[in-house]
Amino acid sequence: MAQKFDVVVIGSGPAGYVAAIRAAQLGLKTACIEKWTREDGKQALGGTCLNVGCIPSKALLDSSYKYESAHKEFKLHGISLDNLKVDVSTMLARKNKIVNNLTTGVAGLFKANGVTSLHGMGKVLPGKQVEWTKQDGSSEVLDAENIIIATGSVPIDIPPTPLTEELIVDSTGALEFTEVPKRLGVIGAGVIGLELGSVWARLGSEVVVLEAQEAFLSVADQQIAKEALKVFKKQELDIRLGCRVTGSENKGQEVIVKYLDDKGEEQQITFDKLIVAVGRRPYTEGLLAPGCGVNLDERGAIFVDDQCRTDVPGIYAVGDVVRGPMLAHKGSEEGIMVAELITGQAAQMNYDLIPSVIYTHPEIAWVGKTEEELKASGEPYKVGTFPFVASGRAMASNETEGMVKVVADEATDRILGVHVIGPSAAELVQQGAIAMEFGSSSEDLGLMIFSHPTVSEALHEAALAVDGHAIHIANRKKRK
């Protein structure tokens, strides 16, 4: 007799493990299949995010920022250090410990909530069955009333720069450099490229970022993006826009990268290490058996509706493997939504208010619509900005780069977008997201009391500036 479950989740990343826990909390007999294996052969839960993505990259970002601060900024505070050095092996060991703590923490949460954890591969079969292939190669068929696919995504490879052991790497390999490369190349100036480039630049690498697009951070509000580009140039990140990589040649411990620059001229540059960070794609290899009824869209993602239902009743898909931004928090909320839908609850995601964050320093974050999107739609809007250079708290902590930008509807004053580059940008944007979730106006934010001195006051002032009422900067005169 096949094992029977109310819910079988395939994948234990932020979308999958959250879906499994919530389903179990709601009284459903739940199993979660995960193939990820640690070096000791044991199962590693948490998917890309916890093992080789969000968490380890933030650990290295934090460590490298502390080193850079000690190296460049402590003197401003009257603090002197002699013989400052970085021990990369200790840094990596700290990162690995954090990863281990969190992945074992998910295992503990599964146990506490009664989720059955299955080590191996999952494949969706016809008739809402799941084939579970174990680590020893044997397989077992599970009966499932409901299936939640949460297999995530993998880095995109490009033909001009095939990955090689330690020399040309993807985002996973970039987290494992055992020493600081002198010359580091990064292909792609997106979130991953900027974060990983920042880590190694802070530790002493000469970093060149090659980006095919001519616009920098085209997904972000362009006023914020232009400010970010200025900041990164000051940090000596050499970001070259409009550059299309055409080939590479490995020369022992070096790699020569050939590319066409923004004028269409052929160029080449030599690196000691090269990171390929051109994006990610949905992971569906070996997932769907013929006849299972689950279909893919034109991007190779699993086709779902607004509530993550596939074309087969009772089969859902969430996270990076479906449409929308590939963000851990988006996947987690989809997992919760689906678990609640299965139990008959009313549940819905607000896809208009998914915050995005780039964890460089300063951070870059946004939620809602950009000014460019509003211009393109013809929607009348108004804007308020406030620079951190006018913030007392930012000045006290030597964090004065950047600004807060609030975009509101011209007629109703309802907040349409909040965009930040600067200290605690992710936290400030989350404040904006909370306000927007409740349909707040810029006047509502302006009427709230913000504690002083805080960087949050910059959000308050930007909201006031929407109608020319900012206190701590000179307001722009409105055009007549």
Side-chain angles (χ1 to χ4, degrees):
M1 289 288 291
Q3 292 191 68
K4 293 185 178 181
F5 294 92
D6 297 318
V7 178
V8 172
V9 182
I10 304 176
S12 74
Y17 85 73
V18 170
I21 289 171
R22 185 63 183 134
Q25 288 176 347
L26 292 168
L28 301 173
K29 184 181 179 183
T30 304
C32 183
I33 303 173
E34 174 57 63
K35 70 170 186 175
W36 208 296
T37 305
R38 301 187 323 206
E39 289 183 0
D40 60 7
K42 294 182 179 179
Q43 186 185 44
L45 300 172
T48 294
C49 178
L50 269 64
N51 287 278
V52 293
C54 318
I55 298 303
S57 64
K58 302 311 164 283
L60 292 184
L61 279 161
D62 192 66
S63 294
S64 62
Y65 177 66
K66 283 180 166 56
Y67 171 77
E68 184 182 54
S69 294
H71 185 61
K72 295 182 178 179
E73 296 182 8
F74 276 20
K75 289 180 181 179
L76 294 173
H77 298 273
I79 303 170
S80 297
L81 294 172
D82 295 323
N83 301 318
L84 185 68
K85 61 180 181 179
V86 61
D87 185 339
V88 175
S89 61
T90 300
M91 190 178 292
L92 294 180
R94 172 184 175 270
K95 179 259 294 180
N96 292 338
K97 183 178 180 182
I98 292 168
V99 169
N100 183 64
N101 287 346
L102 288 172
T103 55
T104 55
V106 174
L109 290 171
F110 274 7
K111 185 176 181 180
N113 286 281
V115 176
T116 300
S117 183
L118 304 175
H119 194 185
M121 293 277 291
K123 176 186 277 190
V124 180
L125 305 177
K128 284 196 297 187
Q129 289 187 317
V130 176
E131 181 182 62
W132 166 37
T133 301
K134 306 173 188 179
Q135 292 303 103
D136 62 7
S138 64
S139 63
E140 181 179 334
V141 174
L142 311 175
D143 287 330
E145 284 295 317
N146 300 276
I147 299 170
I148 302 175
I149 300 168
T151 47
S153 62
V154 291
I156 294 173
D157 298 333
I158 55 175
T161 54
L163 303 186
T164 62
E165 186 72 25
E166 297 185 355
L167 187 59
I168 303 177
V169 301
D170 58 16
S171 56
T172 299
L175 298 171
E176 299 296 338
F177 292 159
T178 55
E179 58 184 27
V180 180
K182 185 177 188 304
R183 300 163 299 175
L184 174 65
V186 181
I187 303 177
V191 176
I192 297 170
L194 291 172
E195 289 184 356
L196 293 174
S198 292
V199 166
W200 297 105
R202 292 169 186 168
L203 299 176
S205 292
E206 299 168 7
V207 178
V208 175
V209 183
L210 302 174
E211 169 57 50
Q213 292 193 49
E214 294 183 2
F216 180 63
L217 289 179
S218 59
V219 296
D221 185 278
Q222 283 303 289
Q223 185 177 6
I224 300 297
K226 288 173 183 175
E227 182 70 18
L229 187 57
K230 287 195 297 184
V231 170
F232 291 139
K233 284 182 176 178
K234 284 173 62 178
Q235 294 176 357
E236 298 182 350
L237 273 180
D238 185 352
I239 299 172
R240 303 181 187 181
L241 302 174
C243 294
R244 186 167 61 88
V245 175
T246 58
S248 61
E249 184 180 356
N250 297 347
K251 291 282 190 179
Q253 299 300 308
E254 299 178 335
V255 56
I256 299 172
V257 175
K258 299 173 183 178
Y259 67 97
L260 298 177
D261 65 17
D262 57 352
K263 298 180 181 64
E265 297 176 358
E266 292 186 0
Q267 306 287 350
Q268 68 177 41
I269 187 170
T270 302
F271 300 114
D272 301 303
K273 302 281 186 183
L274 179 65
I275 303 171
V276 180
V278 295
R280 300 180 65 84
R281 60 178 176 83
Y283 181 65
T284 58
E285 278 80 359
L287 173 66
L288 305 173
C292 71
V294 177
N295 296 308
L296 304 180
D297 65 19
E298 64 279 359
R299 293 176 47 251
I302 293 176
F303 178 77
V304 293
D305 65 11
D306 289 344
Q307 293 183 312
C308 293
R309 298 181 183 91
T310 70
D311 291 328
V312 181
I315 301 183
Y316 304 81
V318 295
D320 285 7
V321 79
V322 303
R323 78 286 179 270
M326 291 184 175
L327 298 169
H329 44 283
K330 173 257 196 184
S332 293
E333 292 305 315
E334 285 179 331
I336 290 172
M337 174 180 70
V338 165
E340 294 180 351
L341 287 172
I342 288 171
T343 56
Q345 298 187 38
Q348 182 62 57
M349 276 273 293
N350 186 351
Y351 284 98
D352 292 332
L353 294 182
I354 300 175
S356 294
V357 186
I358 304 176
Y359 292 92
T360 48
H361 200 94
E363 290 179 346
I364 306 163
W366 63 92
V367 67
K369 295 184 177 179
T370 66
E371 192 171 349
E372 288 71 33
E373 288 173 322
L374 291 168
K375 280 180 182 175
S377 69
E379 209 173 329
Y381 66 92
K382 50 188 177 177
V383 174
T385 62
F386 187 82
F388 283 106
V389 73
S391 162
R393 185 68 184 89
M395 200 178 300
S397 57
N398 197 39
E399 301 250 31
T400 56
E401 290 179 314
M403 71 179 79
V404 178
K405 179 175 184 176
V406 174
V407 186
D409 186 276
E410 178 69 51
T412 66
D413 194 40
R414 185 170 181 169
I415 300 169
L416 302 176
V418 176
H419 310 269
V420 183
I421 174 171
S424 302
E427 312 301 335
L428 297 185
V429 159
Q430 195 60 53
Q431 292 178 19
I434 293 168
M436 293 167 71
E437 191 66 59
F438 288 94
S440 298
S441 64
S442 67
E443 183 184 32
D444 290 330
L445 276 183
L447 289 170
M448 293 178 189
I449 299 172
F450 284 67
S451 51
H452 175 78
T454 59
V455 292
S456 293
E457 289 175 293
L459 176 60
H460 184 228
E461 289 274 1
L464 288 169
V466 167
D467 283 319
H469 301 156
I471 301 300
H472 292 93
I473 56 169
N475 291 283
R476 288 183 179 180
K477 291 183 179 179
K478 287 194 173 183
R479 294 178 181 175
K480 294 182 180 179

